[in-house]
Amino acid sequence: MKRIMLIIGISCFLFSPVFGKEESIFEKSLVRGSDLHLSRAVQPHSYFDSVGQKSAVLGSENGNAEVWIYPYKVLQNFQLYFLIEDENEIIEGKDVAQRIDVYPHQTIIHYVHSSFKVEEVFFTPLKEAGVVILLSVETIKPLSLVASFTPELKPMWPAGLGGQYSYWDSEKRYFVISEGTRKNVALVGSPSGERFSSGPAHALPEGDMKVKIPIDPEEAKRTFFPIFISASHAGRKQADDTYARLGKDLKELYQEKYQHMERLLNDQLFVRTPDKSLNMAFQWAKVAVDNAFVCNPQLGCGLVAGYGLSGRSERPGFAWYFGGDTFFNSWAINSYGSFDVTRQGLTLLRDNQREDGKIMHELSQGAGFIPWFEEYPYGFYHAETSPYYIVSLYDYLNCSGDLQFLNDSWTSLKKAYQYVLSADTDGDGLMENTVAGLAALELGAFLKNTKSDIYLSAISVEAHRAFSEVALLMKDEAFSRTASRTYNKALKALGDKFWIEDDKKYAHAITVEDKPLTETTVWPFMPLFFRQVPQARADHQLDLFASSEMSTDWGVRSLSPRSSYYDPLNYNYGTVWPFLTGYTCLSEYNYGRALSGFSHLMSLAHNTFIDALGFCPELLSGEFFTPLETSVPHQVFSSSPVITCLVRGLLGLKGNTLKKEIEFKPSFPGRWESVEVRNFRTGRDVFHFTLRCSESGWVLEVEPQAYTPYLLHFSPCLGFGTRVISVAVNGEQKEFSTEENKGSVRCLLSLEINGKTQVEIKTENSVLLDLPPHFPRLGDQTSSLKIIRTEYSQGQLRILVEGWGGKEYGISLITSRLIASVSGAEVEDEGELKKTLKVNVSGGKGAYSRKEIIIRFQQP
């Protein structure tokens, strides 16, 4: 393996022609922390990253890292060594890496030895094609730092370059890595570095190259030593200009990144719930999703899918552009209000639309070097991208009110819709995989026999509805009516063809023989996500999703273990995907299953802290709580559902800027007493909400910062058997109505928001339930209590559960009502209102059993 070694020390002044005769010292006061921060003892093989819009450091917590400056993998195997001069001893950084601190704007690895302490700060500027590594040193002995790396300068897969070479520029004090045309250049160096060994100027070196500078212990106490890395596809001068800016503008670049993240965390949507771990997961999810926005100098700006180590390859996780991931993640981005990011993501996809209207599936960041769409099969091989493009753009339009973007995209939308229609050969309104390509699954036994899977079918149904609406906005009433008729036809076909009455569930797919594929998978969440099925059928499907057959303690399995195809480690046939759990969670909230929805939300949030700190893994085992070894550790569509499920599920919060309306349907756990929501954006308008809730009522305070009045549709879930006594808005009585779903009561009211507003709902006889979250440890198997269904009627609450044989569980019950009797559980009083249902599940150990709890209340 070709390697370069850079031996580094620190002195008070940094002399370099690149930065000027006497460059100012890189003071340690430059680096600052933030309120959002995760720390732990180093786990040597766990992943970390520091990501900007044009560059990324991807590494392991032992300090080994690779550097990407798009579209290149500039280097790999970057790591530190420490040379103790008096003892002529070299210490490997990985042997003394002790702690890692992860912040939204930087990552710090701490190295500790008996004679020195070093902090390595990885910083990627927000908008520069470069990387900065700052080294802070405290030492009691003469010490030199050694930075070792392997030069690469290889574009992202499947592109390639040849003839790479490197040399040391003694005047500029950096390594130059280039190739025969000299267009593709990377620079790696340090203002105070000097070469200590030689290497060829016409090829990449076979051995190490070293620069050694002794450290002055006193000066090191107040100064950083920087390593700068830049790259360009437009020649040496552009790379050199960027390299110079990394030094002379470092303070400004650092502040720009820091302030960007602070605005993301505090000025975009902010939610404070009683659960601190959920609050923190929500904030980290925003960081994870924001990190997906990437700008490639050859291709433009858009959303990539995720990050992971490339190793010996040029595939850094999924750090290239994906259509489906952009659409799914846009639900979260629109929810927290970064509309410009969604717009740019959609624009990149629109600009790469195929002539027949199909929207691309993926675009490698190396595509600027090769005929990607012409000669490689990956660009358009998924089917759902075209209808999802229509649906996603419609969601963006409602949230942002960006009619100009709709006008600019109208031709593209019509082409995409024509493609949707062309992929329906039997006229039922449902797209067909046999025509359009892959959708739910990418491999395995189900594919060869699939005509239309339910994922593709449901998205195509929604695309008809969305297109009908946007056509109306574009004043094409005839096209709108045609799409509306197609929607009604497709909706009926979806219900008629996919519902299996004998099994009370939806089929995974319709086969080429026009028969239902009856294997139990998670994918029937899609019509529930879009609210395309009646409540009764949804209830049966959601019973199945909530059961131990499908739900683990860390998410929902992609395939039932009862299937002969089940493999808990198989990519499509048994693993747990957080993004599939996210769809399921939203489906549960859509149909009034708040208890199981909250359990799935908390499992998604918990994944934030188990692997790469702050990020969620791509997929996990279907049997043991651990990510797969092949899982991408920073997978954006695994973090984004933490946002979407909290905002659109738990809070039930969504704005429609065009109609000047906000829907707010909170469904809180019974123990919660308050929630704060700040900076909810709909178009240019901003709203703040504060909620206080109890067994006896709710208080909502609204503080708008809006240019025009909005109509707020507020419908909180008040518990089982609740009677609403009164509703007052700013102290005046307000008309209201109620609705029930299996005895769970919502109060429905609509009111104009044109200034600070307070809503007070007084209730009585409420029965609130709360199932405490269960957080498994790595390696655990599923053992938590599953609430399958709840129903209240005539003073009687039935709770259907599944539990691990021989294990005791607790369910919180909050009510002022007197209990007449309980079967299936024991009741422990914990105060005037709170009680605990102690549930013991019979059956053999090592297996789940089902049990019904019946609580009979005295008449109020």
Side-chain angles (χ1 to χ4, degrees), residues 30-95:
L30 169 69
V31 171
R32 58 192 299 187
S34 68
D35 291 339
L36 190 63
H37 167 223
L38 293 171
S39 181
R40 70 181 174 203
V42 159
Q43 298 180 1
H45 302 296
S46 291
Y47 171 87
F48 81 88
D49 64 33
S50 178
V51 175
Q53 294 177 6
K54 297 182 179 180
S55 62
V57 177
L58 316 177
S60 301
E61 290 184 9
N62 63 9
N64 189 290
E66 58 190 57
V67 170
W68 288 80
I69 300 175
Y70 306 127
Y72 310 104
K73 182 181 183 180
V74 174
L75 58 87
Q76 66 172 336
N77 293 328
F78 180 94
Q79 52 193 318
L80 293 181
Y81 295 79
F82 308 103
L83 176 59
I84 302 175
E85 299 286 357
D86 290 353
E87 302 172 9
N88 199 27
E89 179 185 6
I90 293 181
I91 308 297
E92 291 192 52
K94 66 180 182 180
D95 293 335

Side-chain angles (χ1 to χ4, degrees), residues 23 101 147 152 164-165 187 224 232 241 261 267 296 369 371 386 403 406 418 509 556 608 625 667 823 842:
E23 179 65 25
D101 288 290
E152 293 286 346
Q164 285 94 332
Y165 62 87
L187 308 175
F224 278 115
S232 170
D241 290 345
M261 287 300 176
D267 296 343
N296 181 295
F369 294 92
S386 300
L403 288 171
L406 171 61
Q418 289 296 341
V556 187
T608 306
F625 180 46
S667 304
S823 61
S842 59

